[in-house]
Amino acid sequence: SQHRDGESVTIVNTGSVVTASAVTEAREVLVGRASGVVERLAVDGGKLLGRVAAHQSWCRAIDTREKPAQILTAGDDGLVRIWDASQSWEPGRGSELTLQTARQVAFNGDGGKLAAVCVDGSVRVWDTNRGGLLFESALEAAGCSIAWGPHGLAVLTETGLLSMWTGLDTNSLLRISTEHFDWPRLIAQTSNGEFLVSAGDDGQVLVRESSSLKLIDKLQFPRIRFRGFAEIDDDYFVLGGSDGLLCWIRRTARGMEVDHEMQVQGLQAIRTISRAGGGAQLMVGDPGGNVVALDDRHRPGLRWQLKGRVRAATMWDGNSGTAVGSKGWVHRLVSGAEGVRARIAERVTSASVSSVG
């Protein structure tokens, strides 16, 4: 033990540690090992309080939630497990979330539900608080995009079929054809529940009412393939597509209209867009590994060059974010003093990562 400013600091040599997390109220530290074992150590003295074989191989991540007392672990065996920390740790106590080649995953608005759409056409929804599977359904074709909204869960398939579940049961299903004639790629909902936006390789952007799926307007962009979406405000959003094109679309008295367009120099087809919460700054990425941050006046600022393809990105503030892509790499992008760019990378799996939230 050492003492700094009157606080006791315990240093324990526990051998090879892959990851660790603190449980403040219980004064414990959780340690994940390469063997897949997770151990509970007392902050005071480092005494071993418990051990469980959480995963078959490396335990890569640990997170905790104090109310209710839950522990989340993820391992190289492809499992995410949620443990009840108020009970004794025993094998089998953890709830498992298994995904078979998920195309996209998404949390709902309050984070209480996690949805995934898979290449086998299955749609699954889990309770992230308790870890149980809430809903499962099978589509006629492979799903390609998924989006939560106030009116429910929307899923778009490769054949252009749009499904909306207003509740998590088969009786609440609305289903239509989106009229995309060439590879539907994107589905998104605005947070106020007004619009549902879909886009495909045919250059069409279709805007519908989220509640009824009634078509509001249709915009045509010849030779442009949109992949990215970010909401600016209730009646205003931006799409990212091929040739580095960004297109801002606004609802007016005449319908949906293009507010303005710009081409981000140095980018190929824009694959992902993320907006900093509460601001107008954007982060965009392309398949070539280029990530660019745009300020609130849409001027390109910081740039990062990553190895491999960028499949998805999320922005935390105007100058930092997280990007994921090919070969399992997760990149934390930050800017330091005087605009210095930094990239902290970790390989979390041998396969490509397709979604981040």
Side-chain angles (χ1 to χ4, degrees), residues 54-347:
H55 298 277
Q56 297 178 8
S57 57
W58 290 51
C59 177
R60 292 286 189 178
I62 299 175
D63 198 7
T64 62
R65 182 179 182 181
E66 295 183 357
K67 294 180 180 179
Q70 292 178 332
I71 299 166
L72 184 147
T73 64
D76 275 3
D77 53 6
L79 294 178
V80 176
R81 282 180 159 173
I82 300 175
W83 304 82
D84 185 346
S86 64
Q87 301 179 10
S88 60
W89 283 42
E90 298 176 4
R93 283 294 178 101
S95 301
E96 297 179 0
L97 311 183
T98 57
L99 301 177
Q100 299 296 324
T101 320
R103 279 283 179 84
Q104 191 177 0
V105 294
F107 285 104
N108 71 336
D110 62 8
K113 297 182 180 67
L114 170 68
V117 59
C118 305
V119 294
D120 62 359
S122 61
V123 178
R124 297 183 178 93
V125 179
W126 289 273
D127 184 328
T128 58
N129 295 317
R130 300 178 180 178
L133 183 66
L134 296 174
F135 176 74
E136 184 173 10
S137 184
L139 302 174
E140 291 83 351
C144 62
S145 189
I146 192 168
W148 286 97
H151 296 293
L153 176 67
V155 178
L156 186 64
T157 70
E158 292 179 349
T159 57
L161 185 68
L162 172 61
S163 300
M164 167 79 86
W165 285 272
T166 57
L168 297 181
D169 58 76
T170 55
N171 296 325
S172 64
L173 177 62
L174 302 175
R175 182 171 290 177
I176 62 168
S177 173
T178 58
E179 303 176 22
H180 288 293
F181 302 109
D182 185 13
W183 274 88
R185 297 285 190 175
L186 170 71
I187 191 75
Q189 296 193 67
T190 55
S191 58
N192 66 348
E194 289 288 331
F195 306 132
L196 186 147
V197 181
S198 63
D201 283 359
D202 53 7
Q204 287 194 110
V205 175
L206 306 180
V207 182
R208 301 178 182 275
E209 292 180 355
S210 290
S211 57
S212 65
L213 304 186
K214 178 183 177 181
L215 184 65
I216 297 174
D217 211 340
K218 181 188 301 185
L219 295 89
Q220 187 69 42
F221 298 85
R223 298 182 299 278
I224 299 298
R225 300 177 177 182
F226 288 112
R227 296 289 189 277
F229 172 94
E231 181 182 1
I232 306 301
D233 59 32
D234 290 348
D235 296 319
Y236 196 33
F237 58 87
V238 58
L239 295 171
S242 50
D243 299 327
L245 179 69
L246 287 173
C247 181
W248 283 261
I249 297 174
R250 185 186 299 275
R251 186 178 191 178
T252 68
R254 297 181 296 273
M256 308 304 298
E257 295 186 349
V258 176
D259 187 67
H260 66 282
E261 299 177 353
M262 69 169 287
Q263 190 171 15
V264 183
Q265 297 298 321
L267 290 189
Q268 304 171 18
I270 293 176
R271 182 69 177 264
T272 180
I273 308 175
S274 180
R275 182 176 73 94
Q281 302 99 328
L282 297 174
M283 176 178 285
V284 296
D286 72 358
N290 301 292
V291 178
V292 179
L294 283 72
D295 64 17
D296 52 7
R297 296 183 180 180
H298 310 149
R299 296 174 300 191
L302 296 174
R303 291 176 179 263
W304 295 268
Q305 176 62 52
L306 311 182
K307 293 182 179 180
R309 293 174 175 266
V310 175
R311 295 183 178 271
T314 186
M315 194 174 196
W316 302 115
D317 55 40
N319 296 309
S320 63
T322 300
V324 299
S326 56
K327 299 183 179 180
W329 285 100
V330 175
H331 307 267
R332 181 171 175 236
L333 310 175
V334 297
S335 61
E338 300 177 357
V340 176
R341 294 162 292 178
R343 177 174 64 85
I344 304 169
E346 179 182 2
R347 194 174 186 184

